[in-house]
Amino acid sequence: MIECQCMKLQHLNGAEAQQYARTHLCERARNATWEALYECPATHRWWLEWYPYPEAHGGGPPELTQISRGFAIARFPEAFPPLWTR
């Protein structure tokens, strides 16, 4: 497992983004546009993995960007069920 860098990093791309997401973050949701929501198990910070080049084959290299909890809820509401259902 990679050492947590979530307090220092805000953005990663390409292979570095993929490695950090797969070895340190926990996937919480994925949507139809190939975006994935990740959470850091150590800091509980939220990350969005997305593909910014839709014209490229497979969307090009992925980007991993730290996002706010509010943005995560708005983009992936299915990952945040209402409290009364927990």
Side-chain angles (χ1 to χ4, degrees), residues 45-75:
R45 291 178 181 246
W46 296 97
W47 292 83
L48 175 68
E49 180 184 66
W50 59 293
Y51 295 82
Y53 305 105
E55 68 281 359
H57 178 69
E63 303 263 334
L64 189 62
T65 304
Q66 202 170 126
I67 59 174
S68 70
R69 186 173 194 277
F71 186 89
I73 292 169
R75 188 65 65 102

Side-chain angles (χ1 to χ4, degrees), residues 29-37 48-51 71 75-76:
R30 191 168 285 275
N31 65 24
T33 61
W34 295 8
E35 293 177 333
L37 176 66
L48 175 68
E49 180 184 66
W50 59 293
Y51 295 82
F71 186 89
R75 188 65 65 102
F76 297 92

Side-chain angles (χ1 to χ4, degrees), residues 10-46:
Q10 293 292 315
H11 183 85
L12 294 166
N13 57 34
E16 190 176 25
Q18 286 179 316
Q19 181 183 12
Y20 193 72
R22 303 302 179 261
T23 59
H24 175 66
L25 304 175
C26 298
E27 185 175 318
R28 298 295 183 216
R30 191 168 285 275
N31 65 24
T33 61
W34 295 8
E35 293 177 333
L37 176 66
Y38 289 93
E39 182 182 11
C40 172
T43 65
H44 301 287
R45 291 178 181 246
W46 296 97

